[in-house]
CSV table of all heavy atoms in Angstrom, one decimal:
chain,number,residue,atom,x,y,z
A,1,GLN,N,-55.0,-132.5,6.9
A,1,GLN,CA,-54.1,-133.6,7.1
A,1,GLN,C,-52.6,-133.0,7.1
A,1,GLN,O,-52.3,-132.2,6.3
A,1,GLN,CB,-54.2,-134.6,5.9
A,1,GLN,CG,-55.5,-135.3,5.9
A,1,GLN,CD,-55.6,-136.4,5.0
A,1,GLN,OE1,-54.6,-137.2,4.9
A,1,GLN,NE2,-56.7,-136.7,4.3
A,2,THR,N,-51.9,-133.5,8.1
A,2,THR,CA,-50.5,-133.0,8.3
A,2,THR,C,-49.5,-134.2,8.3
A,2,THR,O,-50.0,-135.3,8.4
A,2,THR,CB,-50.4,-132.2,9.6
A,2,THR,OG1,-50.7,-133.0,10.7
A,2,THR,CG2,-51.3,-130.9,9.5
A,3,GLY,N,-48.3,-133.9,8.3
A,3,GLY,CA,-47.2,-134.9,8.5
A,3,GLY,C,-46.9,-135.6,7.1
A,3,GLY,O,-47.4,-135.2,6.1
A,4,SER,N,-46.0,-136.5,7.2
A,4,SER,CA,-45.6,-137.2,6.0
A,4,SER,C,-46.7,-138.1,5.5
A,4,SER,O,-47.5,-138.6,6.2
A,4,SER,CB,-44.3,-138.0,6.2
A,4,SER,OG,-44.5,-139.0,7.2
A,5,ARG,N,-46.7,-138.4,4.2
A,5,ARG,CA,-47.7,-139.2,3.6
A,5,ARG,C,-47.2,-140.2,2.6
A,5,ARG,O,-46.2,-139.9,1.9
A,5,ARG,CB,-48.7,-138.2,2.8
A,5,ARG,CG,-49.9,-138.9,2.2
A,5,ARG,CD,-50.8,-137.8,1.6
A,5,ARG,NE,-52.0,-138.5,1.1
A,5,ARG,CZ,-52.1,-139.0,-0.2
A,5,ARG,NH1,-51.1,-138.9,-1.0
A,5,ARG,NH2,-53.3,-139.5,-0.6
A,6,THR,N,-47.7,-141.4,2.7
A,6,THR,CA,-47.4,-142.5,1.8
A,6,THR,C,-48.6,-142.9,1.0
A,6,THR,O,-49.7,-142.9,1.5
A,6,THR,CB,-46.9,-143.7,2.6
A,6,THR,OG1,-45.8,-143.3,3.4
A,6,THR,CG2,-46.4,-144.8,1.6
A,7,TYR,N,-48.4,-143.1,-0.3
A,7,TYR,CA,-49.5,-143.5,-1.1
A,7,TYR,C,-49.2,-144.8,-1.9
A,7,TYR,O,-48.1,-145.0,-2.4
A,7,TYR,CB,-49.8,-142.4,-2.2
A,7,TYR,CG,-50.9,-142.9,-3.2
A,7,TYR,CD1,-52.2,-142.9,-2.9
A,7,TYR,CD2,-50.5,-143.3,-4.5
A,7,TYR,CE1,-53.2,-143.3,-3.8
A,7,TYR,CE2,-51.4,-143.7,-5.4
A,7,TYR,CZ,-52.8,-143.7,-5.1
A,7,TYR,OH,-53.7,-144.2,-6.0
A,8,TYR,N,-50.1,-145.8,-1.8
A,8,TYR,CA,-50.0,-147.0,-2.5
A,8,TYR,C,-51.0,-147.2,-3.6
A,8,TYR,O,-52.2,-147.1,-3.3
A,8,TYR,CB,-50.1,-148.2,-1.5
A,8,TYR,CG,-49.0,-148.3,-0.5
A,8,TYR,CD1,-49.1,-147.8,0.8
A,8,TYR,CD2,-47.7,-148.8,-0.9
A,8,TYR,CE1,-48.1,-147.8,1.7
A,8,TYR,CE2,-46.7,-148.9,0.0
A,8,TYR,CZ,-46.9,-148.4,1.3
A,8,TYR,OH,-45.8,-148.4,2.2
A,9,SER,N,-50.6,-147.5,-4.8
A,9,SER,CA,-51.5,-147.7,-5.9
A,9,SER,C,-51.7,-149.2,-6.2
A,9,SER,O,-51.1,-150.0,-5.5
A,9,SER,CB,-50.9,-147.0,-7.2
A,9,SER,OG,-49.9,-147.8,-7.7
A,10,LYS,N,-52.6,-149.5,-7.1
A,10,LYS,CA,-52.8,-150.9,-7.5
A,10,LYS,C,-51.6,-151.5,-8.1
A,10,LYS,O,-51.4,-152.8,-8.1
A,10,LYS,CB,-54.0,-151.0,-8.5
A,10,LYS,CG,-55.3,-150.7,-7.9
A,10,LYS,CD,-56.4,-150.9,-8.9
A,10,LYS,CE,-57.8,-150.7,-8.3
A,10,LYS,NZ,-58.9,-150.9,-9.3
A,11,LYS,N,-50.7,-150.7,-8.6
A,11,LYS,CA,-49.5,-151.3,-9.2
A,11,LYS,C,-48.4,-151.6,-8.2
A,11,LYS,O,-47.5,-152.4,-8.6
A,11,LYS,CB,-48.9,-150.2,-10.2
A,11,LYS,CG,-49.8,-150.0,-11.4
A,11,LYS,CD,-49.2,-148.9,-12.4
A,11,LYS,CE,-50.1,-148.7,-13.5
A,11,LYS,NZ,-49.6,-147.6,-14.4
A,12,ASP,N,-48.5,-151.1,-7.0
A,12,ASP,CA,-47.5,-151.4,-6.0
A,12,ASP,C,-47.7,-152.8,-5.5
A,12,ASP,O,-48.8,-153.2,-5.1
A,12,ASP,CB,-47.6,-150.4,-4.8
A,12,ASP,CG,-47.1,-149.1,-5.2
A,12,ASP,OD1,-46.1,-148.9,-5.8
A,12,ASP,OD2,-47.9,-148.1,-4.9
A,13,LEU,N,-46.6,-153.6,-5.5
A,13,LEU,CA,-46.6,-155.0,-5.0
A,13,LEU,C,-45.6,-155.2,-3.9
A,13,LEU,O,-44.6,-154.5,-3.8
A,13,LEU,CB,-46.3,-156.0,-6.2
A,13,LEU,CG,-47.3,-156.1,-7.3
A,13,LEU,CD1,-46.8,-156.9,-8.4
A,13,LEU,CD2,-48.6,-156.7,-6.8
A,14,PRO,N,-45.8,-156.2,-3.1
A,14,PRO,CA,-44.9,-156.5,-2.0
A,14,PRO,C,-43.5,-156.9,-2.5
A,14,PRO,O,-43.4,-157.3,-3.7
A,14,PRO,CB,-45.5,-157.7,-1.2
A,14,PRO,CG,-46.9,-157.7,-1.7
A,14,PRO,CD,-47.0,-157.1,-3.1
A,15,GLU,N,-42.5,-156.8,-1.7
A,15,GLU,CA,-41.2,-157.2,-2.0
A,15,GLU,C,-41.2,-158.6,-2.6
A,15,GLU,O,-41.9,-159.5,-2.2
A,15,GLU,CB,-40.3,-157.2,-0.7
A,15,GLU,CG,-38.9,-157.5,-0.9
A,15,GLU,CD,-38.1,-157.4,0.4
A,15,GLU,OE1,-38.7,-156.9,1.4
A,15,GLU,OE2,-36.9,-157.7,0.4
A,16,ASN,N,-40.3,-158.8,-3.6
A,16,ASN,CA,-40.1,-160.1,-4.2
A,16,ASN,C,-41.4,-160.6,-4.9
A,16,ASN,O,-41.5,-161.8,-5.1
A,16,ASN,CB,-39.6,-161.1,-3.2
A,16,ASN,CG,-38.5,-162.0,-3.8
A,16,ASN,OD1,-37.9,-161.7,-4.8
A,16,ASN,ND2,-38.4,-163.2,-3.2
A,17,ASN,N,-42.3,-159.7,-5.2
A,17,ASN,CA,-43.6,-160.1,-5.9
A,17,ASN,C,-44.3,-161.1,-5.1
A,17,ASN,O,-45.0,-162.0,-5.7
A,17,ASN,CB,-43.3,-160.6,-7.3
A,17,ASN,CG,-43.0,-159.4,-8.3
A,17,ASN,OD1,-43.5,-158.3,-8.1
A,17,ASN,ND2,-42.1,-159.7,-9.2
A,18,GLY,N,-44.2,-161.1,-3.8
A,18,GLY,CA,-44.9,-162.0,-2.9
A,18,GLY,C,-44.2,-163.3,-2.6
A,18,GLY,O,-44.8,-164.2,-1.9
A,19,VAL,N,-43.1,-163.6,-3.2
A,19,VAL,CA,-42.3,-164.8,-2.9
A,19,VAL,C,-41.5,-164.7,-1.6
A,19,VAL,O,-40.7,-163.7,-1.5
A,19,VAL,CB,-41.4,-165.2,-4.1
A,19,VAL,CG1,-40.6,-166.5,-3.7
A,19,VAL,CG2,-42.2,-165.4,-5.3
A,20,VAL,N,-41.7,-165.5,-0.7
A,20,VAL,CA,-41.0,-165.5,0.6
A,20,VAL,C,-39.6,-165.9,0.4
A,20,VAL,O,-39.3,-166.9,-0.3
A,20,VAL,CB,-41.7,-166.4,1.6
A,20,VAL,CG1,-40.8,-166.6,2.9
A,20,VAL,CG2,-43.1,-166.0,2.0
A,21,ASN,N,-38.6,-165.1,0.9
A,21,ASN,CA,-37.2,-165.4,0.9
A,21,ASN,C,-36.9,-166.0,2.3
A,21,ASN,O,-37.0,-165.4,3.3
A,21,ASN,CB,-36.4,-164.1,0.7
A,21,ASN,CG,-34.9,-164.4,0.6
A,21,ASN,OD1,-34.4,-165.4,1.0
A,21,ASN,ND2,-34.2,-163.5,-0.1
A,22,LEU,N,-36.5,-167.3,2.3
A,22,LEU,CA,-36.2,-168.0,3.5
A,22,LEU,C,-34.9,-167.6,4.2
A,22,LEU,O,-34.6,-168.1,5.2
A,22,LEU,CB,-36.3,-169.5,3.3
A,22,LEU,CG,-37.6,-170.0,2.9
A,22,LEU,CD1,-37.6,-171.5,2.6
A,22,LEU,CD2,-38.6,-169.8,4.1
A,23,ASN,N,-34.2,-166.6,3.6
A,23,ASN,CA,-33.1,-166.0,4.3
A,23,ASN,C,-33.5,-164.8,5.1
A,23,ASN,O,-32.7,-164.2,5.8
A,23,ASN,CB,-32.0,-165.5,3.2
A,23,ASN,CG,-31.3,-166.7,2.6
A,23,ASN,OD1,-30.9,-167.6,3.3
A,23,ASN,ND2,-31.2,-166.7,1.3
A,24,TRP,N,-34.8,-164.5,5.1
A,24,TRP,CA,-35.4,-163.4,5.9
A,24,TRP,C,-35.5,-164.0,7.3
A,24,TRP,O,-35.5,-165.2,7.6
A,24,TRP,CB,-36.7,-163.0,5.5
A,24,TRP,CG,-36.8,-162.3,4.2
A,24,TRP,CD1,-35.8,-161.7,3.5
A,24,TRP,CD2,-37.9,-162.1,3.3
A,24,TRP,NE1,-36.2,-161.1,2.3
A,24,TRP,CE2,-37.5,-161.3,2.2
A,24,TRP,CE3,-39.3,-162.4,3.4
A,24,TRP,CZ2,-38.4,-160.9,1.2
A,24,TRP,CZ3,-40.2,-162.1,2.4
A,24,TRP,CH2,-39.7,-161.3,1.3
A,25,SER,N,-35.7,-163.0,8.3
A,25,SER,CA,-36.0,-163.4,9.7
A,25,SER,C,-37.4,-163.9,9.8
A,25,SER,O,-38.2,-163.7,8.9
A,25,SER,CB,-35.8,-162.2,10.6
A,25,SER,OG,-36.8,-161.2,10.3
A,26,PHE,N,-37.7,-164.7,10.9
A,26,PHE,CA,-39.0,-165.2,11.1
A,26,PHE,C,-40.0,-164.0,11.2
A,26,PHE,O,-41.1,-164.1,10.7
A,26,PHE,CB,-39.1,-166.1,12.3
A,26,PHE,CG,-40.5,-166.5,12.6
A,26,PHE,CD1,-41.1,-167.5,11.9
A,26,PHE,CD2,-41.3,-165.8,13.6
A,26,PHE,CE1,-42.4,-167.9,12.2
A,26,PHE,CE2,-42.6,-166.2,13.9
A,26,PHE,CZ,-43.2,-167.2,13.2
A,27,GLU,N,-39.6,-163.0,11.9
A,27,GLU,CA,-40.5,-161.8,12.1
A,27,GLU,C,-40.9,-161.2,10.8
A,27,GLU,O,-42.1,-160.9,10.6
A,27,GLU,CB,-39.8,-160.8,13.0
A,27,GLU,CG,-40.6,-159.6,13.5
A,27,GLU,CD,-40.7,-158.5,12.5
A,27,GLU,OE1,-39.8,-158.3,11.7
A,27,GLU,OE2,-41.7,-157.8,12.5
A,28,LYS,N,-40.0,-161.1,9.9
A,28,LYS,CA,-40.3,-160.6,8.6
A,28,LYS,C,-41.2,-161.5,7.8
A,28,LYS,O,-42.2,-161.1,7.1
A,28,LYS,CB,-39.1,-160.2,7.8
A,28,LYS,CG,-39.4,-159.6,6.4
A,28,LYS,CD,-38.1,-159.1,5.7
A,28,LYS,CE,-38.5,-158.5,4.4
A,28,LYS,NZ,-37.3,-157.9,3.7
A,29,ILE,N,-40.9,-162.8,7.8
A,29,ILE,CA,-41.7,-163.8,7.1
A,29,ILE,C,-43.1,-163.8,7.6
A,29,ILE,O,-44.1,-163.9,6.9
A,29,ILE,CB,-41.1,-165.2,7.1
A,29,ILE,CG1,-39.7,-165.2,6.4
A,29,ILE,CG2,-42.0,-166.3,6.6
A,29,ILE,CD1,-38.9,-166.4,6.5
A,30,ASN,N,-43.2,-163.8,9.0
A,30,ASN,CA,-44.5,-163.8,9.6
A,30,ASN,C,-45.4,-162.6,9.2
A,30,ASN,O,-46.6,-162.7,8.9
A,30,ASN,CB,-44.4,-163.9,11.1
A,30,ASN,CG,-45.7,-164.2,11.8
A,30,ASN,OD1,-46.5,-164.9,11.3
A,30,ASN,ND2,-45.8,-163.6,13.0
A,31,ARG,N,-44.7,-161.4,9.2
A,31,ARG,CA,-45.4,-160.2,8.8
A,31,ARG,C,-45.9,-160.3,7.3
A,31,ARG,O,-47.0,-159.9,6.9
A,31,ARG,CB,-44.5,-159.0,8.9
A,31,ARG,CG,-44.5,-158.3,10.2
A,31,ARG,CD,-43.9,-156.9,10.2
A,31,ARG,NE,-42.5,-157.0,10.1
A,31,ARG,CZ,-41.8,-156.5,9.0
A,31,ARG,NH1,-42.5,-156.1,7.9
A,31,ARG,NH2,-40.5,-156.6,8.9
A,32,PHE,N,-45.0,-160.9,6.5
A,32,PHE,CA,-45.3,-161.1,5.1
A,32,PHE,C,-46.6,-162.0,4.9
A,32,PHE,O,-47.5,-161.7,4.1
A,32,PHE,CB,-44.1,-161.7,4.4
A,32,PHE,CG,-43.9,-161.4,3.0
A,32,PHE,CD1,-43.5,-160.2,2.5
A,32,PHE,CD2,-44.1,-162.4,2.0
A,32,PHE,CE1,-43.3,-159.9,1.2
A,32,PHE,CE2,-44.0,-162.1,0.7
A,32,PHE,CZ,-43.5,-160.9,0.3
A,33,VAL,N,-46.6,-163.1,5.6
A,33,VAL,CA,-47.7,-164.1,5.5
A,33,VAL,C,-49.0,-163.4,6.1
A,33,VAL,O,-50.0,-163.5,5.4
A,33,VAL,CB,-47.4,-165.4,6.3
A,33,VAL,CG1,-48.6,-166.3,6.4
A,33,VAL,CG2,-46.2,-166.1,5.6
A,34,ARG,N,-48.9,-162.8,7.2
A,34,ARG,CA,-50.1,-162.2,7.8
A,34,ARG,C,-50.6,-161.0,6.9
A,34,ARG,O,-51.8,-160.8,6.8
A,34,ARG,CB,-49.8,-161.7,9.2
A,34,ARG,CG,-49.6,-162.8,10.2
A,34,ARG,CD,-49.5,-162.3,11.7
A,34,ARG,NE,-48.3,-161.4,11.9
A,34,ARG,CZ,-48.3,-160.1,12.0
A,34,ARG,NH1,-49.5,-159.5,12.0
A,34,ARG,NH2,-47.2,-159.4,12.2
A,35,GLY,N,-49.6,-160.2,6.4
A,35,GLY,CA,-50.0,-159.1,5.6
A,35,GLY,C,-50.6,-159.4,4.3
A,35,GLY,O,-51.3,-158.5,3.7
A,36,LEU,N,-50.4,-160.6,3.8
A,36,LEU,CA,-51.0,-161.0,2.5
A,36,LEU,C,-52.2,-162.0,2.7
A,36,LEU,O,-52.7,-162.6,1.7
A,36,LEU,CB,-50.0,-161.5,1.6
A,36,LEU,CG,-48.9,-160.5,1.2
A,36,LEU,CD1,-47.8,-161.2,0.3
A,36,LEU,CD2,-49.5,-159.3,0.5
A,37,ASN,N,-52.6,-162.2,4.0
A,37,ASN,CA,-53.6,-163.2,4.3
A,37,ASN,C,-54.9,-162.4,4.4
A,37,ASN,O,-55.2,-161.8,5.4
A,37,ASN,CB,-53.4,-163.9,5.6
A,37,ASN,CG,-54.5,-164.9,5.9
A,37,ASN,OD1,-55.5,-165.0,5.2
A,37,ASN,ND2,-54.3,-165.7,6.9
A,38,LEU,N,-55.7,-162.4,3.3
A,38,LEU,CA,-57.0,-161.7,3.3
A,38,LEU,C,-58.2,-162.6,3.4
A,38,LEU,O,-59.3,-162.2,3.3
A,38,LEU,CB,-57.1,-160.8,2.0
A,38,LEU,CG,-56.2,-159.6,2.0
A,38,LEU,CD1,-55.9,-159.1,0.6
A,38,LEU,CD2,-57.0,-158.5,2.8
A,39,PHE,N,-57.9,-163.9,3.6
A,39,PHE,CA,-59.0,-164.9,3.8
A,39,PHE,C,-59.9,-164.5,5.0
A,39,PHE,O,-59.3,-164.3,6.1
A,39,PHE,CB,-58.4,-166.3,3.9
A,39,PHE,CG,-59.4,-167.4,3.9
A,39,PHE,CD1,-60.0,-167.8,2.7
A,39,PHE,CD2,-59.9,-167.9,5.1
A,39,PHE,CE1,-60.9,-168.9,2.7
A,39,PHE,CE2,-60.8,-168.9,5.1
A,39,PHE,CZ,-61.3,-169.4,3.9
A,40,PRO,N,-61.2,-164.5,4.9
A,40,PRO,CA,-62.0,-165.1,3.8
A,40,PRO,C,-62.4,-164.0,2.8
A,40,PRO,O,-63.3,-164.3,1.9
A,40,PRO,CB,-63.3,-165.5,4.6
A,40,PRO,CG,-63.4,-164.5,5.7
A,40,PRO,CD,-62.0,-164.2,6.1
A,41,PHE,N,-61.9,-162.8,2.8
A,41,PHE,CA,-62.1,-161.8,1.8
A,41,PHE,C,-61.4,-162.2,0.5
A,41,PHE,O,-60.4,-162.9,0.5
A,41,PHE,CB,-61.7,-160.4,2.2
A,41,PHE,CG,-62.3,-159.9,3.4
A,41,PHE,CD1,-61.6,-159.8,4.6
A,41,PHE,CD2,-63.7,-159.5,3.4
A,41,PHE,CE1,-62.2,-159.3,5.8
A,41,PHE,CE2,-64.3,-159.0,4.6
A,41,PHE,CZ,-63.6,-158.9,5.7
A,42,GLU,N,-61.9,-161.7,-0.6
A,42,GLU,CA,-61.3,-162.0,-1.9
A,42,GLU,C,-59.9,-161.2,-1.9
A,42,GLU,O,-59.9,-160.1,-1.6
A,42,GLU,CB,-62.2,-161.5,-3.1
A,42,GLU,CG,-61.6,-161.8,-4.4
A,42,GLU,CD,-62.5,-161.3,-5.6
A,42,GLU,OE1,-63.5,-160.7,-5.3
A,42,GLU,OE2,-62.2,-161.6,-6.7
A,43,ASN,N,-58.9,-161.9,-2.4
A,43,ASN,CA,-57.6,-161.3,-2.4
A,43,ASN,C,-57.3,-160.9,-3.9
A,43,ASN,O,-57.0,-161.7,-4.7
A,43,ASN,CB,-56.5,-162.3,-2.0
A,43,ASN,CG,-55.1,-161.7,-1.8
A,43,ASN,OD1,-54.8,-160.7,-2.4
A,43,ASN,ND2,-54.3,-162.4,-1.1
A,44,LYS,N,-57.4,-159.6,-4.1
A,44,LYS,CA,-57.1,-159.0,-5.4
A,44,LYS,C,-55.7,-158.4,-5.4
A,44,LYS,O,-55.3,-157.7,-6.4
A,44,LYS,CB,-58.2,-158.0,-5.8
A,44,LYS,CG,-59.5,-158.7,-6.1
A,44,LYS,CD,-60.5,-157.6,-6.6
A,44,LYS,CE,-61.9,-158.3,-6.9
A,44,LYS,NZ,-62.8,-157.3,-7.4
A,45,PHE,N,-55.0,-158.5,-4.3
A,45,PHE,CA,-53.7,-157.9,-4.1
A,45,PHE,C,-52.6,-158.8,-4.5
A,45,PHE,O,-52.1,-158.8,-5.6
A,45,PHE,CB,-53.6,-157.4,-2.7
A,45,PHE,CG,-52.3,-156.7,-2.3
A,45,PHE,CD1,-51.6,-155.9,-3.3
A,45,PHE,CD2,-51.8,-156.8,-1.0
A,45,PHE,CE1,-50.5,-155.3,-2.9
A,45,PHE,CE2,-50.7,-156.1,-0.7
A,45,PHE,CZ,-50.0,-155.4,-1.6
A,46,CYS,N,-52.2,-159.7,-3.6
A,46,CYS,CA,-51.1,-160.6,-3.9
A,46,CYS,C,-51.1,-161.7,-2.8
A,46,CYS,O,-51.4,-161.5,-1.7
A,46,CYS,CB,-49.8,-159.8,-3.8
A,46,CYS,SG,-48.3,-160.7,-4.0
A,47,TYR,N,-50.8,-162.9,-3.3
A,47,TYR,CA,-50.7,-164.0,-2.3
A,47,TYR,C,-49.2,-164.3,-2.0
A,47,TYR,O,-48.3,-164.1,-2.8
A,47,TYR,CB,-51.3,-165.3,-2.9
A,47,TYR,CG,-52.8,-165.4,-3.0
A,47,TYR,CD1,-53.4,-165.0,-4.1
A,47,TYR,CD2,-53.5,-165.8,-1.9
A,47,TYR,CE1,-54.8,-165.0,-4.2
A,47,TYR,CE2,-54.9,-165.9,-1.9
A,47,TYR,CZ,-55.5,-165.5,-3.1
A,47,TYR,OH,-56.9,-165.6,-3.1
A,48,PRO,N,-48.9,-164.6,-0.7
A,48,PRO,CA,-47.6,-165.0,-0.4
A,48,PRO,C,-47.3,-166.4,-0.9
A,48,PRO,O,-48.2,-167.2,-1.0
A,48,PRO,CB,-47.6,-165.0,1.1
A,48,PRO,CG,-49.0,-165.4,1.5
A,48,PRO,CD,-49.8,-164.8,0.4
């Protein structure tokens, strides 16, 4: 494996602990909602 590497643990949470900031752009809010939508899988990560 080469190049830069990022590691995420169970303790890492999305920005603002999953609360959408309506001062964000739509593009960012949409990524936030899609990125935390694990339905129909069980979501053990974080809900928006």
Side-chain angles (χ1 to χ4, degrees):
Q1 295 193 36
T2 60
S4 60
R5 183 173 185 273
T6 304
Y7 173 76
Y8 292 100
S9 74
K10 288 183 178 180
K11 295 180 181 179
D12 290 312
L13 291 174
E15 185 176 350
N16 217 22
N17 289 324
V19 178
V20 171
N21 184 336
L22 292 175
N23 290 312
W24 292 343
S25 67
F26 174 80
E27 189 273 337
K28 181 172 181 177
I29 294 172
N30 191 34
R31 275 195 287 112
F32 208 73
V33 170
R34 290 186 298 107
L36 298 178
N37 182 354
L38 285 156
F39 186 81
F41 299 110
E42 184 179 6
N43 187 340
K44 293 184 177 181
F45 180 31
C46 181
Y47 285 94

